[in-house]
Amino acid sequence: MQQLPCKMEKSNVDWSAFPSDLLFVISQRLSELSDFIRFRSVCKNWRLSAPRSVSPPQLPWLIKFHGMKVTYVSSLSSCKDLIIEVPQMAKKMKWIGAGKTYILACDCENNSVSLMNPLTDEEHHLPPLPEYICTIKPVRISSKDDITLLCYPKKIFGGVFFCRIDGERWSIVECKRESILTVSCTYYQGMYFVIWGSSHGREMAQPTEIINATTGQVVAVINPPPGIVDNEYMVESSGEILRVQLLHHFGHSFLIYLLDYGGSNSRWIQLRSIGDRILFLANPWLRPNSCLYGFTLRSCNINGSKGNCIYLFTYGNDGICLYRYDIENNTAELLRMSSLPFSIATFLGDWFVPSLH
C-alpha cells in the first residue's frame, strides 16, 4: 500500500476556551517557573486559571547584574540560563544585591532605596538612608518589613552601621572598628550576631559578638570553635543561629555549628546534619569588603530538591561554577559550569529566589 503524503491542516481548536478547572490542573503540573509564566501568557483565560499565588516554589537562581540587563545564571531546577530586561524604572538605579524574592537597588543621588521583583515589576520604596552613608550591603532581606543592611560611611573613621527597617524609618546602630575587611552577620529577635573579619583569606576563627540592635551595646562575646578557616557565615535558620565555616575554597569543605545561647555559658555545638534544610551561601570571592551572608530553604517545600546540603558558587577562567556540598557524605559535587562570560569588575553575583507572589 502506498503511503499518501500527509497534509497539514489548520487546527480548529479554540485553545482559549479550555475549561478553567482543567487549565488549573495542568498549570499545577508545571514545576519550572519559566514554564508557568509562559503558560499564563497564552491568553486571558489561561492567565486567570493559573493565578500567581499558585506558582511553583523554586530553588534559587544565581543572579548576575550587568549593565542594563539582569542575567539569571543557572536556574538550579532547570539548569537554564535566562536573560531578563531590567524594569525601565530601575535603569537609573544602582543594583546592590538580592535577598529572597527581592533585589535591592539604590539611587545614589539621594540615597533612596527600593526593593524590586524583576519578574513582576513590583517595587517597594523604602525610607532614604542618611547622607553620610556611602556603601550599602544586604545582610538580610526576607520581606519589605524585614530588611537589615550593612552600611559604610563616606569618610572612613573606623566604623560601620547596621541599618534595620523599622516601620517608616531606619533603626541605625554604629559599630566602631579600626579595620574591617569582611563581616558576617545575621539578625534575630532584636539582636545582631556578628563575626568581624580582619582579612580576606585563611585566618583563625573569630569570636561572635551579640549586639543589641536598639542600643548598639555588646551583650555577649562567644568564643569560636578552634581552627583556621577561609570564611565564616552567620545564618539565622528557623529560629536557630548557625555558624558555617568554609575551610577550603577549592575543596569546598565545611563545618556547621549551632549556637547554644545561655549568656556567659553560650557555646557552639557542631552539627552533623541540618535535616531537610538547604543552605545557600554568598560567594566570598565576589564580596570583598562586604558582608558574607546566607539563608536556608526547606527541601520539603520544593519538589525534586535535596536537603542536608550547601550550595555555593565560585568562578574560574571559563565561567561560573556551581557546587553542591553533601553534609552527610562530606563531598562536593560540581553541578555545572556556566559558559556566560563576565568580568570580575562588572560582576555582582547573588542568590535570588524567583517568585510571582
Side-chain angles (χ1 to χ4, degrees):
M1 180 180 294
Q2 185 178 5
Q3 185 175 0
L4 297 176
C6 178
K7 182 179 180 180
M8 299 297 292
E9 295 183 359
K10 183 178 180 180
S11 173
N12 293 322
V13 177
D14 183 2
W15 295 101
S16 65
F18 264 47
S20 296
D21 54 349
L22 178 58
L23 289 172
F24 178 80
V25 172
I26 296 174
S27 71
Q28 294 306 284
R29 299 294 183 92
L30 302 175
S31 59
E32 179 60 31
L33 186 61
S34 58
D35 294 333
F36 185 84
I37 293 173
R38 293 186 185 100
F39 181 94
R40 297 183 78 250
S41 65
V42 171
C43 65
K44 182 178 181 180
N45 185 35
W46 287 42
R47 184 167 60 255
L48 295 176
S49 300
R52 290 180 178 180
S53 59
V54 298
S55 59
Q58 301 288 291
L59 286 170
W61 292 351
L62 174 58
I63 187 172
K64 173 189 174 224
F65 307 115
H66 181 71
M68 290 296 103
K69 292 184 178 181
V70 179
T71 305
Y72 297 97
V73 183
S74 197
S75 160
L76 294 183
S77 300
S78 65
C79 292
K80 295 179 181 178
D81 295 337
L82 305 171
I83 298 178
I84 297 181
E85 292 283 346
V86 172
Q88 186 66 33
M89 59 188 175
K91 289 190 175 182
K92 295 183 179 181
M93 304 186 77
K94 180 180 180 181
W95 294 67
I96 305 298
K100 292 297 181 68
T101 59
Y102 291 102
I103 292 173
L104 186 71
C106 178
D107 186 337
C108 298
E109 292 184 0
N110 54 21
N111 264 13
S112 62
V113 187
S114 293
L115 288 180
M116 299 179 182
N117 185 335
L119 300 182
T120 63
D121 286 350
E122 176 188 7
E123 180 179 14
H124 295 285
H125 295 284
L126 303 176
L129 289 163
E131 293 183 357
Y132 55 79
I133 295 298
C134 178
T135 306
I136 305 168
K137 302 293 181 182
V139 172
R140 175 187 172 95
I141 305 175
S142 292
S143 69
K144 60 183 178 65
D145 301 315
D146 184 7
I147 305 168
T148 304
L149 306 176
L150 172 72
C151 299
Y152 291 83
K154 292 182 178 179
K155 294 183 179 179
I156 302 300
F157 57 93
V160 297
F161 297 90
F162 288 112
C163 303
R164 179 163 178 79
I165 198 71
D166 184 11
E168 299 299 322
R169 66 182 185 89
W170 291 99
S171 176
I172 301 177
V173 169
E174 180 182 358
C175 296
K176 290 188 176 293
R177 290 294 183 277
E178 292 183 359
S179 176
I180 301 172
L181 292 182
T182 59
V183 180
S184 185
C185 170
T186 192
Y187 171 89
Y188 183 65
Q189 291 190 342
M191 299 291 176
Y192 294 121
F193 298 81
V194 187
I195 299 174
W196 303 102
S198 59
S199 67
H200 194 64
R202 295 182 63 78
E203 64 177 4
M204 294 297 296
Q206 300 296 309
T208 301
E209 289 188 0
I210 301 180
I211 301 173
N212 186 297
T214 302
T215 65
Q217 179 183 2
V218 177
V219 298
V221 178
I222 305 172
N223 290 328
I228 298 176
V229 299
D230 277 333
N231 282 104
E232 296 189 277
Y233 298 80
M234 298 295 295
V235 181
E236 185 276 323
S237 173
S238 302
E240 297 179 336
I241 304 299
L242 303 180
R243 181 182 185 128
V244 185
Q245 294 182 335
L246 173 57
L247 303 183
H248 302 287
H249 280 302
F250 294 101
H252 301 100
S253 180
F254 296 88
L255 292 176
I256 304 174
Y257 296 88
L258 170 68
L259 178 60
D260 180 14
Y261 186 51
S264 59
N265 296 321
S266 299
R267 61 190 180 117
W268 294 103
I269 302 174
Q270 187 172 355
L271 298 180
R272 305 297 181 182
S273 171
I274 58 173
D276 73 334
R277 286 176 288 186
I278 312 171
L279 258 170
F280 298 90
L281 302 178
N283 187 337
W285 289 356
L286 300 178
R287 289 182 161 271
N289 302 315
S290 67
C291 186
L292 304 180
Y293 78 98
F295 62 90
T296 62
L297 298 176
R298 291 197 175 273
S299 61
C300 61
N301 297 327
I302 306 173
N303 292 333
S305 62
K306 177 183 177 181
N308 200 31
C309 62
I310 300 173
Y311 283 88
L312 178 74
F313 62 91
T314 184
Y315 64 85
N317 294 330
D318 298 325
I320 304 168
C321 302
L322 289 170
Y323 288 92
R324 179 172 61 199
Y325 175 78
D326 188 306
I327 297 174
E328 180 180 1
N329 298 322
N330 192 29
T331 57
E333 174 188 5
L334 175 61
L335 297 181
R336 69 173 301 219
M337 178 181 291
S338 172
S339 59
L340 291 179
F342 65 92
S343 165
I344 297 302
T346 61
F347 180 85
L348 173 60
D350 259 315
W351 292 111
F352 170 74
V353 183
S355 175
L356 299 181
H357 55 85

